[in-house]
Amino acid sequence: MASIILKLADHGLRVQFRYSCKASKELFLGHNLQRSSLSHPVRYCSEGPSEISAHKQPLEGHRKAFFGKRRHLSPMQRLNVLVESNDGPGEDRHDSEGNENIQNDGIGGSENKVVKTKHKTTPEKSGSSDQPFPKEICGLDRGKKPLNHGRNSILVDGEFVFVAMENVKTTAKLREMFLLEAGKVFQSRYGCLEHTAIVGHLPGKVFLTDRDVPLLVRRPTLEEYVLYMKRTATISFPKDIAAMLMMADVSPGDVILEAGTGSGAMSLHLSRAVWSGGTIHTYESNASHQKVARKNVEAWRRSYDVSHTESHWPDNICFHSEPLEGSFLESNSVDGAVLDLEEPHQVLPAVADKLKRGRALAIYVSNLTQVVDIMEMIRVRALPLTVEDVIDVTHRHWLVHPARRRQETASLDRLKVLRGSDISIEESSHRSVPGDAEAYIVDHIPKYITRPQHKQPPFSAFLVKVWKTLSSGLKHKR
């Protein structure tokens, strides 16, 4: 507990707080207190704490008035006091903000000073070496991991990059993907950009072409890769792939059967879903489609391994060219199945035999006639399958962008702001846009356009979710 020492002088009252393990903090009252105003004779307190309580009653009113103006400590400040109680009275103390040090030079009289110095942080010592990493590699200070680890690594030769540019007013848009190679140049209608200018920079940087058009360069996602990779067969679109992964309940470590490899879009997403502990068995009877799928999978794997030095893309895809009916897979050995064929109902008996009971099957079809064929095959052959759901996935893209108005509309720019019951009119401030857009003005508080985009993605396919059960699904449906 803090002991309170009250000292009365001839010209004023000094209140000194002495903490058990802290330096003293002196606070002075702004008014003079004459000894004649006290109702009891004043005796100077001795060094013993027992005599302090004897002289506490005459000054009770002054103590309450003084302590009533003090603010309460925050929980963090209280914690700092408890933590710092182990320090000596002459050591530094950090305040609650962590920006200053308060240094007290002991407990004494009025000559004690409180010195505030800026808080300086020293870098942590590296456990491996005393030499810091170069600034162009670590980016911050010593002891940090270099930027060539993981997904924050710099762009290097041999990996794919994605270039994006969009002009909302002119509806100009650029979306392209290419492989970084030394000595090559990226060419487009908006200008040229050398590959050597991109190598060595972090992804997400904006580069200027020779026509001064800004281009955003970054790494492509798997969704963008399957949309812009080379293909011969029509791929399953990413919006449908995501729904099919949920339908089949694909998890890490599962064994998945895929019928209809195509260009490898679904195979790559399944490979990432099951990762290193799982296996994908994909069947494709068309040799040209399977050749393209192999190249796309290998190209993505090489690019991923270049940019991810700590973890590599697993080699968990097994390509098969034989018919699914003659597969070597055992019965009840597959955790899930995905079908993307012209006639998926023809392979349902073989898939039902390989699929484990209680597991799901996702089928990608382009029209409802194929859905009817699937249900008719289940009914005629009495397959232990049941159709649970038939859906189509639709995405609607929206445009949210600051509006631009012409200069002749500036005189009509008045805002009516409703505040409670009062209506006030404010004149919005605006400025001209330099360059080619001098005919437009931009507000400091802009208005926004929110509307659906003119071009929307079309219908792609119907998705059918089928479960393997003990008996045919038509027997329990009424």
Side-chain angles (χ1 to χ4, degrees):
M1 299 296 295
S3 61
I4 302 176
I5 300 177
L6 303 177
K7 294 183 179 181
L8 299 178
D10 293 337
H11 301 285
L13 175 65
R14 172 184 297 173
V15 182
Q16 184 182 33
F17 300 92
R18 176 177 298 174
Y19 294 87
S20 59
C21 297
K22 295 299 299 177
S24 63
K25 182 183 293 184
E26 297 181 355
L27 300 174
F28 297 90
L29 293 178
H31 64 278
N32 295 332
L33 180 64
Q34 301 295 333
R35 279 187 284 179
S36 59
S37 62
L38 300 177
S39 58
H40 296 275
V42 176
R43 292 176 296 177
Y44 289 96
C45 60
S46 61
E47 296 181 358
S50 59
E51 297 183 10
I52 298 177
S53 59
H55 304 283
K56 185 177 179 181
Q57 297 296 334
L59 302 178
E60 186 69 20
H62 299 283
R63 187 185 66 82
K64 290 183 178 180
F66 176 76
F67 281 97
K69 297 180 181 179
R70 293 191 64 194
R71 65 180 181 88
H72 297 284
L73 295 179
S74 64
M76 185 60 65
Q77 291 174 334
R78 297 173 185 172
L79 182 61
N80 291 339
V81 172
L82 295 176
V83 173
E84 294 169 357
S85 61
N86 295 330
D87 301 335
E91 296 182 358
D92 296 346
R93 178 176 61 86
H94 301 284
D95 62 351
S96 61
E97 301 294 335
N99 298 325
E100 295 179 350
N101 290 345
I102 301 179
Q103 182 179 1
N104 301 334
D105 40 28
I107 302 175
S110 61
E111 296 181 358
N112 296 337
K113 298 180 180 180
V114 178
V115 182
K116 294 184 178 180
T117 59
K118 293 183 177 180
H119 178 60
K120 298 181 180 180
T121 58
T122 58
E124 298 179 359
K125 295 183 179 180
S126 176
S128 59
S129 175
D130 294 333
Q131 298 296 331
F133 290 105
K135 292 183 178 180
E136 62 272 12
I137 296 180
C138 71
L140 295 175
D141 56 355
R142 61 190 301 181
K144 303 292 184 180
K145 289 186 177 181
L147 291 180
N148 58 350
H149 288 273
R151 303 184 67 176
N152 294 328
S153 60
I154 59 178
L155 299 173
V156 296
D157 289 334
E159 64 173 322
F160 287 101
V161 293
F162 190 80
V163 178
M165 189 279 299
E166 183 176 5
N167 191 327
V168 178
K169 186 63 181 178
T170 62
T171 65
K173 183 181 294 185
L174 175 65
R175 297 285 190 274
E176 287 193 26
M177 184 184 66
F178 59 91
L179 187 67
L180 282 179
E181 296 180 287
K184 289 192 174 183
V185 179
F186 170 72
Q187 298 180 355
S188 67
R189 59 178 178 174
Y190 302 105
C192 301
L193 182 61
E194 295 183 358
H195 290 198
T196 55
I198 302 175
V199 174
H201 295 276
L202 289 174
K205 185 176 180 180
V206 177
F207 295 87
L208 293 177
T209 63
D210 55 356
R211 299 178 59 181
D212 293 334
V213 177
L215 300 179
L216 175 64
V217 179
R218 56 176 174 83
R219 288 192 178 95
T221 61
L222 184 57
E223 174 189 359
E224 294 166 342
Y225 176 78
V226 300
L227 289 176
Y228 293 91
M229 68 183 182
K230 295 181 180 181
R231 59 179 183 262
T232 54
T234 303
I235 64 170
S236 302
F237 289 93
K239 65 183 182 67
D240 299 321
I241 293 176
M244 296 175 72
L245 291 177
M246 291 187 293
M247 282 183 170
D249 194 22
V250 182
S251 305
D254 288 349
V255 178
I256 305 298
L257 170 64
E258 181 190 7
T261 307
S263 298
M266 177 61 76
S267 302
L268 283 171
H269 282 85
L270 290 173
S271 176
R272 183 173 65 176
V274 302
W275 206 237
S276 59
T279 306
I280 306 298
H281 295 279
T282 176
Y283 291 81
E284 178 59 57
S285 58
N286 193 318
S288 60
H289 292 175
Q290 190 178 94
K291 182 179 179 181
V292 173
R294 287 178 179 269
K295 289 183 178 180
N296 289 335
V297 171
E298 291 298 329
W300 172 259
R301 183 182 298 148
R302 287 195 301 267
S303 177
Y304 184 91
D305 293 345
V306 168
S307 58
H308 297 71
T309 57
E310 294 182 348
S311 62
H312 298 284
W313 191 273
D315 186 9
N316 55 3
I317 302 178
C318 301
F319 295 91
H320 305 277
S321 58
E322 67 270 11
L324 184 59
E325 293 78 2
S327 174
F328 67 93
L329 295 176
E330 299 179 356
S331 300
N332 300 322
S333 61
V334 175
D335 298 307
V338 176
L339 303 183
D340 185 7
L341 301 171
E342 294 181 0
E343 296 179 345
H345 63 280
Q346 298 291 346
V347 298
L348 281 181
V351 174
D353 179 63
K354 311 298 181 184
L355 189 63
K356 294 179 181 179
R357 185 180 300 172
R359 303 295 295 186
L361 161 68
I363 307 176
Y364 185 96
V365 295
S366 58
N367 53 70
L368 288 175
T369 305
Q370 295 173 302
V371 179
V372 174
D373 294 339
I374 292 172
M375 299 192 67
E376 187 66 11
M377 175 62 72
I378 296 175
R379 184 188 69 83
V380 173
R381 300 290 296 269
L383 299 177
L385 300 174
T386 177
V387 177
E388 181 181 271
D389 201 3
V390 180
I391 64 171
D392 68 293
V393 181
T394 303
H395 285 183
R396 193 176 187 185
H397 296 176
W398 285 77
L399 174 65
V400 180
H401 193 271
R404 297 196 301 174
R405 296 165 298 144
R406 294 185 178 275
Q407 289 284 4
E408 53 265 22
T409 62
S411 59
L412 303 178
D413 181 25
R414 304 180 68 84
L415 300 178
K416 293 184 178 181
V417 182
L418 180 62
R419 297 177 180 175
S421 60
D422 300 333
I423 297 179
S424 61
I425 300 178
E426 297 182 357
E427 192 77 22
S428 64
S429 58
H430 51 77
R431 59 181 177 84
S432 299
V433 178
D436 299 336
E438 293 182 355
Y440 298 93
I441 60 176
V442 176
D443 297 329
H444 293 293
I445 304 178
K447 290 79 178 172
Y448 283 84
I449 298 175
T450 56
R451 60 170 176 81
Q453 291 187 359
H454 297 301
K455 295 182 179 180
Q456 297 292 339
F459 168 80
S460 55
F462 292 102
L463 307 180
V464 184
K465 183 178 182 181
V466 182
W467 284 94
K468 183 176 180 180
T469 56
L470 183 62
S471 60
S472 178
L474 297 180
K475 293 183 178 180
H476 73 274
K477 284 192 173 182
R478 298 179 181 178

